[in-house]
Amino acid sequence: MDDKMIVEMKHVALCSNKSTNCFDIGPLLIREPFTFGCSNSIVLYEAESDVGSSNNSTCHSIFTFNFHSHDVVAVQWMRSYPGDGGDSYKDTSLLTGDDNGNLAISKLVGSTLDSSALELVEKSKVHDGSIHCLDGITFDSDHCPVTLIASSGADSKLRIWTLFDKLNLVDSGATPQVLDFKNGFVLGLKFHLLQPCGVTVLACACDDFKIRLYIGKEFNKSNKNDSNFVQSAVLQGHEDWVRSITFTNFKPNSWLFASTSQDCTVRVWKLEQEHEEANGSNFLQVKKQTFSIDRPAQDTLKFSVFIDTVLEGHENWVYSAEWCNSGNKSGGNKKLQLLTASMDKTIIVWEYDDNDKMWVDTVRVGEVGGNTLGFYKAMFHRSSNRNIVAQSYSGALYYWRLDNGRWQTEVVNSGHMAPVHDIDWESKGNFLVSTSKDQTTRIFSEWKPHSTWHEMARPQIHGFDMQCVAMLNNQHFVSGGDEKVVRVFRAPKNFLENFESLTGRNLSQNVDDAPQGASVPALGLSNKAVFSIEKQAAPASKNDQYIDNLFQPLTLKHPPSETDLLQNTLWPEVSKLYGHVYEIYAVASNRSGTLFATASKSTQAQHAGIYVWQTSTWKNVAVLKGHTLTVTQMEFSPDGRFLISVSRDRKWSLYSIKYEGEEVMFELVAQSEKKTCHSRIIWSCSWAPDSNSFITASRDKKVMLWKLDEEGDDCLKVSRHSVMDCGVPTTAVAFSPQQVVGLSSVKHIFAVGLESGVIQVCAVDDDAGLTSILKFNAHMSHSLSVQRLKWRPRNAAMEDDGSLCLASCGLDNQVKIFRLSFV
């Protein structure tokens, strides 16, 4: 087979892990991408910062790097200090830590942000338990380059490495300095180089309400000391856990650092180098802590540290503080600004007023309404105070840009915050719907002006973990989860109008009878239709926690923000279907949208039945027997004549579908035999486009092709035709519905998802043999098990360039969309 297939990543829907130190902004060299952990992956995401401009080009690029085998919980770009005494800048080295205590060091390759931008330098286990926070800096000491790396973990240890030659913890032979905090924890840490004196300070935010300052001794390559840092000061004042610390240069020989705490305050401390002894002035002075640093053959350096101010503007825990990157170099004239993020759903920009000698909160942005819990981190972006990016408690990203004196919400990527179990395309491929353990169902589509994919709606925000979803037609879908109830939803008028405006695709000609939107009653789970919009009264108190999720119609010119997705894009429920005894596990619909089947978890044959429902009446028309354990997946044949199901009982069952007037008849016509079928759980199945064969995928690492032989009207035989060993347990499989053009000797192609997260594209040749023709690279694939694969249907409105579109979802919380073409 001489033809070649290439794959391109079109979109990755994801969000940050719910960890306080899991977000950072990359170096200017690659346009300062958002950098965060998503499940086991490291994500570099470059967002378009000016979607309102006349230039329709976009920088909306997302790349994942799977260096870890556990959840990434700490992300920090290293910083370099120039020799001229200026502020530090982001280096090309990235530190990441996971919840198993592994520290990975990776480095940028080149100056282009792409799928090979990061290269793993080293990964080693440095803590017993999860890593809490990381930091690292590089600078010159006596013309010798020095690298300092620090990490704290759940084992109550703080480890500090001093490196001179290699950015490598193992090969360099460096022995870390270990500081034992007994039963306490370091929740935040930060290095800073005090210039021009060349002293290195390490500040630690601790859970005993204190801040500890450690001063580094002289760093000498010939004297590799594993006790370079000594405690010099312990600062008290906070009344709860201290969460983060950040430094900035203030004046010559004077520095500021801010600490945030769960006591809802931000404390700004001043660190100064003292040149003369106190002269006994009678003026009232702030209480100071002083310490000295003895340097061989040089004068002793004396420093003092004291509280400068306490900022009280937040009403809940304050998790992060960041100084403005663009201003306040030593001796500079730019205003001093501090950005703080809190669990009270607000982000504040504090500015120091030189005239009044006080701090003022000049800007407040954040979340209004919804069921969110505030922000973990906020940072200035694009090296200016005109762009703010924030990481919320739920993992969602927020982005604001200052435009003509007003802070505008910008378009930013979004995705699930928990494993994604199922996806399905709308019948004509206009959008993709996904459902997840994060209790939401989401819709993704392509934004026409920028040709980028975004979340267009969040039609279901539930109270139970979701497991499965299937589109019935372009306006209805059905979903199931852990509540044992099957729910059917209809697209509201407001969604249909905005969808056409954003994508240029009309889903319905007649929307007059459709409801405007949907809302969720207090303490309810059902999305109630809203037909008329009445002016809603404001809640009497902000402490009212049992308020309705009120719908407000939107007129969108760009994809909805996180706030709108949470409140204003719900779909109303059409029906709730009962019958299953246990949690819903699988759902599938036929091509015409007239029938759909549901299955639930089961440990006995009596509960393993497949319920078939008719969409014209929303009534159950059959219960199909044949399995003894949970049915893991079902699929109707393209011609609508058969239904195939696979199960944990290691069997597949084939049912025929016949119509007698308005009555639908089902019959079990074939079932696998133990000696010829899989030896482990069968996870997935898929029909070939011609409906003459189907394929199954199992934990026994095999993919099997089965062929139907019809010998008369009432005689059907199914035989195993081919077997392919994938070497790894297979968890998902899907035939492409399109006829393959560009590959010689290939009848059909199908995609296989593996338990390792890797995706393969395979071919069925003219002799029904199975061959792997493309294997996605590790960083383009998922980092955990693939749960579902779906090929995008093609319609007349799409550009026909011969390419194919494949969507996938996995346990790594990600939904990915690929474009496959032939050269």
Side-chain angles (χ1 to χ4, degrees):
M1 188 181 301
D2 297 329
D3 308 273
K4 183 180 178 182
M5 176 182 284
I6 58 174
V7 59
E8 172 193 357
M9 181 87 75
K10 293 289 291 183
H11 182 64
V12 188
L14 43 69
C15 67
S16 172
N17 288 334
K18 294 198 283 186
S19 179
T20 56
N21 296 299
C22 194
F23 182 89
D24 198 11
I25 290 179
L28 186 60
L29 177 67
I30 51 173
R31 291 175 53 86
E32 298 183 303
F34 304 159
T35 309
F36 53 91
C38 176
S39 186
N40 298 357
S41 301
I42 302 167
V43 182
L44 298 184
Y45 167 41
E46 183 180 358
E48 173 61 55
S49 62
D50 191 8
V51 298
S53 66
S54 58
N55 182 7
N56 283 334
S57 63
T58 179
C59 300
H60 187 85
S61 305
I62 309 169
F63 300 98
T64 57
F65 301 89
N66 302 328
F67 297 147
H68 290 271
S69 55
H70 295 80
D71 283 354
V72 177
V73 293
V75 173
Q76 183 67 53
W77 285 94
M78 293 185 63
R79 292 165 290 121
S80 291
Y81 284 85
D84 60 2
D87 282 342
S88 63
Y89 57 89
K90 295 291 177 67
D91 201 346
T92 58
S93 298
L94 176 65
L95 305 175
T96 53
D98 62 35
D99 62 5
N100 194 45
N102 297 297
L103 169 61
I105 303 175
S106 50
K107 201 170 184 66
L108 281 178
V109 179
S111 58
T112 304
L113 185 59
D114 54 28
S115 58
S116 59
L118 271 186
E119 180 182 81
L120 181 64
V121 176
E122 180 197 43
K123 186 176 79 171
S124 56
K125 187 173 178 62
V126 297
H127 288 282
D128 295 327
S130 178
I131 289 179
H132 284 165
C133 50
L134 298 165
D135 197 27
I137 61 172
T138 60
F139 59 95
D140 285 340
S141 177
D142 294 331
H143 306 289
C144 175
V146 178
T147 298
L148 299 176
I149 295 175
S151 71
S152 70
D155 56 3
S156 299
K157 301 290 195 305
L158 171 64
R159 287 177 166 81
I160 308 168
W161 290 266
T162 303
L163 309 175
F164 295 95
D165 300 314
K166 299 180 178 179
L167 187 62
N168 195 299
L169 307 184
V170 178
D171 293 346
S172 65
T175 302
Q177 178 181 353
V178 181
L179 302 177
D180 192 348
F181 285 76
K182 305 303 180 183
N183 293 323
F185 302 104
V186 176
L187 304 176
L189 54 85
K190 189 67 69 175
F191 283 112
H192 192 65
L193 182 63
L194 308 182
Q195 301 190 79
C197 59
V199 174
T200 306
V201 60
L202 172 62
C204 298
C206 303
D207 68 339
D208 60 0
F209 315 166
K210 299 174 183 177
I211 300 168
R212 289 173 168 80
L213 297 184
Y214 296 86
I215 300 298
K217 299 179 181 178
E218 277 198 85
F219 301 100
N220 193 325
K221 185 175 181 181
S222 60
N223 181 24
K224 295 183 179 181
N225 193 340
D226 61 357
S227 300
N228 283 320
F229 283 85
V230 294
Q231 182 173 295
S232 299
V234 178
L235 308 179
Q236 302 185 48
H238 284 294
E239 298 176 355
D240 207 329
W241 289 8
V242 187
R243 301 301 312 205
S244 69
I245 295 178
T246 181
F247 280 88
T248 189
N249 296 333
F250 182 48
K251 294 178 180 179
N253 299 315
S254 180
W255 305 268
L256 294 178
F257 62 95
S259 60
T260 65
S261 170
Q262 293 180 184
D263 62 8
C264 310
T265 67
V266 180
R267 288 179 172 256
V268 179
W269 309 80
K270 185 175 288 186
L271 177 62
E272 293 182 333
Q273 183 179 352
E274 305 234 337
H275 296 285
E276 297 179 1
E277 295 292 339
N279 57 9
S281 172
N282 293 324
F283 288 103
L284 181 65
Q285 293 185 348
V286 177
K287 183 180 179 180
K288 299 180 179 181
Q289 288 195 46
T290 61
F291 56 90
S292 301
I293 301 174
D294 295 324
R295 301 187 299 177
Q298 298 185 55
D299 294 336
T300 298
L301 298 178
K302 295 182 179 180
F303 293 88
S304 63
V305 58
F306 56 92
I307 185 70
D308 183 72
T309 190
V310 178
L311 306 179
E312 295 184 347
H314 290 290
E315 299 177 354
N316 209 325
W317 298 356
V318 187
Y319 269 104
S320 78
E322 292 289 335
W323 300 100
C324 180
N325 294 334
S326 65
N328 209 55
K329 293 183 179 179
S330 293
N333 296 319
K334 295 190 177 180
K335 291 183 178 180
L336 191 61
Q337 290 185 321
L338 183 67
L339 181 68
T340 59
S342 168
M343 293 299 283
D344 65 2
K345 302 185 182 182
T346 64
I347 294 166
I348 300 178
V349 178
W350 304 87
E351 190 172 289
Y352 185 70
D353 191 320
D354 285 322
N355 296 325
D356 295 333
K357 304 299 180 185
M358 64 182 297
W359 289 85
V360 181
D361 55 332
T362 58
V363 176
R364 283 179 181 256
V365 295
E367 178 70 71
V368 179
N371 56 357
T372 57
L373 290 175
F375 298 96
Y376 273 151
K377 197 164 188 177
M379 301 181 74
F380 290 111
H381 190 230
R382 298 294 186 213
S383 298
S384 75
N385 59 355
R386 299 180 61 86
N387 300 278
I388 295 175
V389 59
Q391 170 208 7
S392 69
Y393 171 84
S394 66
L397 301 181
Y398 291 75
Y399 196 23
W400 296 273
R401 179 173 57 89
L402 184 61
D403 185 16
N404 295 325
R406 297 187 63 185
W407 288 90
Q408 305 288 345
T409 302
E410 291 293 309
V411 176
V412 71
N413 189 47
S414 62
H416 291 283
M417 66 188 79
V420 187
H421 289 300
D422 203 3
I423 53 175
D424 197 17
W425 287 100
E426 183 264 343
S427 58
K428 295 183 179 179
N430 289 315
F431 60 80
L432 178 73
V433 60
S434 64
T435 198
S436 163
K437 196 176 179 181
D438 67 1
Q439 305 182 350
T440 67
T441 300
R442 308 185 186 216
I443 288 175
F444 302 93
S445 189
E446 193 171 21
W447 185 21
K448 185 178 179 180
H450 290 254
S451 299
T452 55
W453 287 76
H454 297 274
E455 184 177 352
M456 296 297 180
R458 203 167 294 175
Q460 185 180 14
I461 301 175
H462 207 36
F464 289 90
D465 293 356
M466 301 304 299
Q467 179 65 38
C468 52
V469 66
M471 291 299 304
L472 302 179
N473 51 50
N474 61 0
Q475 293 187 57
H476 291 83
F477 75 84
V478 59
S479 67
D482 287 352
E483 64 168 335
K484 312 170 190 178
V485 179
V486 180
R487 295 176 185 260
V488 185
F489 297 85
R490 178 189 181 182
K493 183 178 181 180
N494 192 237
F495 167 80
L496 296 172
E497 292 172 346
N498 284 318
F499 187 83
E500 183 177 3
S501 173
L502 295 174
T503 67
R505 294 174 183 149
N506 189 350
L507 298 179
S508 176
Q509 298 295 332
N510 184 15
V511 296
D512 294 337
D513 63 335
Q516 286 284 341
S519 64
V520 180
L523 301 181
L525 293 175
S526 300
N527 295 356
K528 301 297 184 182
V530 176
F531 287 92
S532 61
I533 309 301
E534 300 178 1
K535 188 174 182 180
Q536 309 287 356
S541 169
K542 64 182 179 182
N543 294 321
D544 291 342
Q545 47 184 326
Y546 303 125
I547 60 174
D548 289 0
N549 186 357
L550 304 177
F551 165 76
Q552 293 296 328
L554 304 173
T555 302
L556 298 175
K557 295 182 179 179
H558 55 73
S561 65
E562 183 71 15
T563 302
D564 289 329
L565 288 170
L566 286 168
Q567 300 183 55
N568 298 318
T569 60
L570 293 172
W571 287 22
E573 289 183 20
V574 174
S575 182
K576 285 191 285 287
L577 309 178
Y578 301 89
H580 290 287
V581 178
Y582 295 105
E583 296 90 339
I584 310 301
Y585 195 83
V587 61
S589 68
N590 64 356
R591 293 280 179 96
S592 61
T594 57
L595 296 173
F596 66 94
T598 60
S600 67
K601 293 181 180 179
S602 175
T603 57
Q604 300 176 3
Q606 67 184 93
H607 301 134
I610 298 172
Y611 283 63
V612 182
W613 311 82
Q614 206 161 27
T615 58
S616 59
T617 60
W618 305 120
K619 291 184 178 180
N620 176 234
V621 294
V623 179
L624 310 180
K625 301 295 183 179
H627 292 287
T628 58
L629 294 175
T630 303
V631 173
T632 55
Q633 190 180 352
M634 305 166 290
E635 187 170 304
F636 287 86
S637 61
D639 62 8
R641 297 173 56 216
F642 298 100
L643 172 67
I644 183 70
S645 62
V646 294
S647 167
R648 287 180 177 269
D649 61 11
R650 309 175 187 180
K651 296 188 297 186
W652 56 257
S653 297
L654 182 65
Y655 304 89
S656 65
I657 306 172
K658 295 181 180 180
Y659 294 87
E660 294 183 3
E662 295 183 357
E663 188 175 359
V664 187
M665 309 294 292
F666 294 85
E667 181 184 359
L668 178 62
V669 293
Q671 198 169 51
S672 60
E673 298 179 357
K674 186 175 181 180
K675 62 181 180 180
T676 59
C677 196
H678 296 282
S679 60
R680 302 291 299 275
I681 294 172
I682 307 177
W683 284 121
S684 186
C685 59
S686 181
W687 284 96
D690 57 10
S691 299
N692 291 327
S693 59
F694 63 88
I695 200 164
T696 56
S698 167
R699 184 180 282 173
D700 66 4
K701 308 177 184 179
K702 294 181 176 62
V703 170
M704 296 185 180
L705 179 67
W706 306 83
K707 192 172 180 61
L708 277 63
D709 296 315
E710 297 187 63
E711 300 177 356
D713 294 337
D714 298 323
C715 186
L716 176 69
K717 291 184 178 180
V718 181
S719 58
R720 191 182 73 181
H721 208 284
S722 302
V723 179
M724 185 176 71
D725 192 335
C726 295
V728 179
T730 56
T731 54
V733 66
F735 265 111
S736 169
Q738 278 87 37
Q739 199 70 26
V740 180
V741 178
L743 291 178
S744 58
S745 305
V746 171
K747 188 175 182 181
H748 305 294
I749 67 169
F750 62 93
V752 179
L754 306 181
E755 191 175 74
S756 62
V758 173
I759 298 173
Q760 295 183 12
V761 178
C762 305
V764 180
D765 59 29
D766 294 334
D767 298 324
L770 306 181
T771 308
S772 177
I773 58 176
L774 177 66
K775 182 177 181 180
F776 292 14
N777 69 51
H779 298 320
M780 190 173 287
S781 299
H782 292 270
S783 61
L784 292 175
S785 175
V786 179
Q787 291 294 284
R788 192 73 74 229
L789 296 167
K790 289 283 185 176
W791 296 88
R792 185 183 188 185
R794 186 176 296 279
N795 65 56
M798 296 181 185
E799 182 180 352
D800 190 4
D801 58 357
S803 64
L804 301 174
C805 184
L806 174 67
S808 66
C809 66
L811 295 182
D812 58 359
N813 310 352
Q814 299 175 23
V815 176
K816 298 192 174 189
I817 300 175
F818 307 94
R819 177 179 179 271
L820 291 87
S821 55
F822 309 96
V823 295

